Amino acid sequence: MTDLQQRATKIRLLLSDCDGVLTDAGVYYGEQGEVLKKFNIRDGMAVERLRQEIDVDFGIVTGELSPSVRKRAEKLKISELHLGAKDKVAVLAEICHRRGLTPDQIAFIGDDVNDLGIMGLVGLAACPADALPQVRVVAHWMSALPGGGGCVRELAEWLIEMQTH
């Protein structure tokens, strides 16, 4: 078994950044501020499949305070929703403490420099294909798909495969 496969078999919680991972990093603004973000429906199915197939929970850790993300999390029944998370490392520590997990039991998928701290601590760091170069360098696993293009679903299916075979 490779180091990457060993990392995957330990995962109990998958955390994700939002913009640039669950979305294509685009946002529509109007007079009132943020109007729309586009989420990939296949990533939503990933959350359900992780829970059903391998009992892995899912959470979102984002620096943004977005009503759209809150609505998406409600629809997907995501309990680990951390909006306005400027210190993602502190959020990771709090989650580990509260859930009785160690960082090696957590995977995180991110795309930008504000994700590097948490990615350096988790058991499995992942990124979409279009993540910034400095993020791709630290990722253990990289999707063939871009942010907003189903990269979370691809990661989920790979985790399911690693934990069931």
Side-chain angles (χ1 to χ4, degrees):
M1 185 179 292
T2 68
D3 176 63
L4 188 58
Q5 290 169 325
Q6 287 178 333
R7 289 175 182 276
T9 61
K10 296 177 184 176
I11 301 305
R12 305 304 330 133
L13 173 65
L14 171 56
L15 297 174
S16 178
D17 180 35
C18 185
D19 296 322
V21 177
L22 293 169
T23 75
D24 63 4
V27 63
Y28 294 92
Y29 276 90
E31 293 176 7
Q32 305 300 318
E34 179 185 302
V35 177
L36 295 171
K37 286 183 191 242
K38 178 182 152 191
F39 292 90
N40 190 302
I41 209 76
R42 292 184 182 132
D43 287 341
M45 178 59 75
V47 173
E48 190 175 320
R49 286 192 40 78
L50 284 167
R51 288 180 187 141
Q52 289 177 349
E53 299 295 323
I54 56 174
D55 196 28
V56 167
D57 204 358
F58 184 84
I60 298 171
V61 182
T62 179
E64 298 297 316
L65 289 168
S66 172
S68 301
V69 178
R70 183 177 304 283
K71 286 289 185 192
R72 184 69 175 143
E74 286 172 9
K75 177 160 179 45
L76 298 176
K77 298 179 178 80
I78 294 171
S79 58
E80 287 295 345
L81 175 62
H82 302 270
L83 300 174
K86 299 303 181 193
D87 185 351
K88 294 182 181 186
V89 170
V91 172
L92 174 67
E94 186 274 325
I95 290 170
C96 286
H97 177 74
R98 183 171 33 80
R99 287 182 162 239
L101 295 172
T102 57
D104 68 329
Q105 294 176 296
I106 298 175
F108 182 86
I109 182 167
D111 71 309
D112 213 328
V113 294
N114 62 329
D115 299 319
L116 290 172
I118 191 170
M119 289 177 75
L121 296 173
V122 294
L124 180 69
C127 70
D130 60 345
L132 292 180
Q134 54 268 59
V135 174
R136 292 193 311 260
V137 166
V138 302
H140 302 112
W141 182 92
M142 186 170 70
S143 176
L145 301 170
C151 62
V152 173
R153 176 67 178 272
E154 184 184 15
L155 175 56
E157 295 300 331
W158 178 77
L159 284 170
I160 291 166
E161 177 72 21
M162 291 299 101
Q163 290 194 17
T164 59
H165 293 96

